[in-house]
Amino acid sequence: MIQEGNDDLAAYMPNTEGQSNDSAPNNSAQEEHPSALSSASNEAPEAVTPSFVQRDQTNLLWVAEKVNRVREEMRKYVIGQSEMIELLLAGIFSNGHILLEGVPGVAKTLSSKALSRVLHVDFSRIQFTPDLMPSDVIGTSVFNMQESSFNFKKGPIFSNIVLIDEINRAPAKTQAALFEVMEERQITYDGTQYTMSFPFLVIATQNPVEQEGTYNLPEAQLDRFLFKIKLDYPTLEEEMLILTRYKEQIKSPDLENIVAVFTADELRKVQTIVEKIIIEDRLIQYIAQIVNKTRNHAKLYLGGSPRASLSILKAAKAFAAIRGRDFVTPDDIQFVTIHVLNHRLILTPEAEMEGTLMEEVIREIVQTIEVPR
């Protein structure tokens, strides 16, 4: 069974097995403590502290403190949805875009706007409609009469956090305007490249129920989203909390009271910390086995791409940092796998007719692969 959090993590602490096998295959003490190799004495090393205890945890403590503050600020307006908040942070920390899917009224837009307030960066919102043109997204040329020349006027996509509301309501040519900017973080217009400022994150929302006047996102665009987060209805207790909080308020929530937690420079620092999170070779193999299994499954018409493997790797490292660890565990991989793969895979027509859910197939794949120990 996939576990979303396991405090018993000692078994997954990084080790240095195999680093000195060629030089000392029969000496386990030398394998565990390479510093003892230079000793000519036959005496066993005394109380050598393992390397993972000596690693500096200052940066991780700083990240954990910031994450807790983000949770506190988000909970002022978003009740429940704690998993969504963590996934949003993981997307930012791993430099990935996020797709939010849920029925109307489950706080998709509110969550995105609250997140933008928590980050001290620019924010823009684009409402996708059937008549929206690519120039309405990326910008267009405007004639300057004083200089008798055309100048490029940047569109709303030129921001740090871009909320695209109801992304599946725009036609294919408008959706295609996002391909380059989401993957390469740049816009090419009239032969000139315009680079997006850091950070650049697209948060898109879509309604899975209402299909009239919508256009399905192509697989190439879906593959550019790190996660697809499916939002469910709140529980009875959570809905009572929502009603209690807003029982004396009829206006839309005022987000001005949210305190910014991260600046752009601090986000860059967090991403550098995430890059240095340790992941062992056996866990890399574990990720590869999961994705490879999706390409050979009887119920799947389309499996995961190498981009899916990389997304699992990056997201797992981001979650390790959020949970205060400088190493990845199988639990991190299992937790992010469903959210990384659920929008990249395609069921066979037979599986769809049987009512098979994509999440069930992903769980089945994960459970059939031996967990590294």
Side-chain angles (χ1 to χ4, degrees), residues 156-189:
I157 197 67
F158 285 87
S159 187
N160 296 123
I161 304 294
V162 181
L163 170 61
I164 299 179
D165 219 354
E166 296 187 281
I167 188 173
N168 57 339
R169 287 201 173 275
K173 63 180 179 181
T174 304
Q175 293 183 13
L178 300 173
F179 280 18
E180 180 184 11
V181 70
M182 289 180 65
E183 179 64 20
E184 304 174 40
R185 287 174 166 77
Q186 67 179 27
I187 289 292
T188 302
Y189 187 88

Side-chain angles (χ1 to χ4, degrees), residues 67-323:
V67 168
N68 286 333
R69 288 176 56 191
V70 169
R71 289 194 185 104
E72 292 174 1
E73 295 298 324
M74 293 283 288
R75 286 170 183 166
K76 292 179 181 178
Y77 298 90
V78 181
I79 296 175
Q81 308 291 5
S82 59
E83 182 177 288
M84 178 202 64
I85 294 174
E86 284 197 340
L87 289 168
L88 287 172
L89 287 173
I92 295 171
F93 293 170
S94 55
N95 204 30
H97 310 292
I98 297 170
L99 178 63
L100 297 177
E101 182 178 275
V103 298
V106 291
K108 299 187 298 296
T109 303
L110 176 63
S111 300
S112 303
K113 293 173 68 176
L115 179 68
S116 69
R117 291 282 184 176
V118 171
L119 310 178
H120 190 61
V121 294
D122 291 336
F123 171 79
S124 68
R125 174 179 175 176
I126 310 174
Q127 183 70 48
F128 269 28
T129 57
D131 61 346
L132 195 73
M133 300 296 291
S135 58
D136 297 326
V137 177
I138 64 175
T140 187
S141 293
V142 178
F143 184 71
N144 188 329
M145 298 185 63
Q146 293 181 346
E147 300 178 359
S148 297
S149 63
F150 285 92
N151 297 329
F152 177 65
K153 182 180 180 181
K154 295 181 178 180
I157 197 67
F158 285 87
S159 187
N160 296 123
I161 304 294
V162 181
L163 170 61
I164 299 179
D165 219 354
E166 296 187 281
I167 188 173
N168 57 339
R169 287 201 173 275
K173 63 180 179 181
T174 304
Q175 293 183 13
L178 300 173
F179 280 18
E180 180 184 11
V181 70
M182 289 180 65
E183 179 64 20
E184 304 174 40
R185 287 174 166 77
Q186 67 179 27
I187 289 292
T188 302
Y189 187 88
D190 198 19
T192 304
Q193 291 184 351
Y194 301 89
T195 304
M196 313 304 290
S197 59
F198 180 89
F200 177 73
L201 175 69
V202 171
I203 302 177
T205 69
Q206 69 176 9
N207 177 3
V209 179
E210 187 178 4
Q211 299 301 323
E212 184 177 353
T214 63
Y215 304 83
N216 291 332
L217 273 65
E219 284 70 28
Q221 184 172 355
L222 285 171
D223 201 38
R224 282 164 166 77
F225 285 101
L226 177 71
F227 295 134
K228 181 170 80 169
I229 308 174
K230 293 187 176 181
L231 303 183
D232 296 324
Y233 288 114
T235 64
L236 177 60
E237 292 76 13
E238 290 171 348
E239 189 140 11
M240 290 176 63
L241 287 174
I242 295 172
L243 294 172
T244 302
R245 178 171 297 183
Y246 294 103
K247 66 180 181 180
E248 297 178 354
Q249 181 177 343
I250 61 174
K251 299 178 181 179
S252 299
D254 184 6
L255 303 181
E256 295 294 333
N257 294 327
I258 294 182
V259 179
V261 177
F262 283 105
T263 64
D265 290 338
E266 288 174 335
L267 287 177
R268 195 184 298 273
K269 177 182 176 180
V270 172
Q271 291 186 3
T272 302
I273 295 171
V274 169
E275 289 178 341
K276 296 179 181 179
I277 296 295
I278 298 170
I279 180 167
E280 294 185 331
D281 291 341
R282 55 181 178 162
L283 295 182
I284 292 178
Q285 182 181 6
Y286 185 49
I287 295 173
Q289 288 175 331
I290 292 174
V291 178
N292 183 263
K293 185 72 173 179
T294 66
R295 303 166 189 165
N296 304 282
H297 197 279
K299 294 183 179 180
L300 293 177
Y301 172 75
L302 178 67
S305 66
R307 185 186 284 151
S309 303
L310 291 170
S311 296
I312 294 175
L313 172 67
K314 294 187 294 184
K317 294 176 72 171
F319 260 94
I322 289 174
R323 292 167 176 172

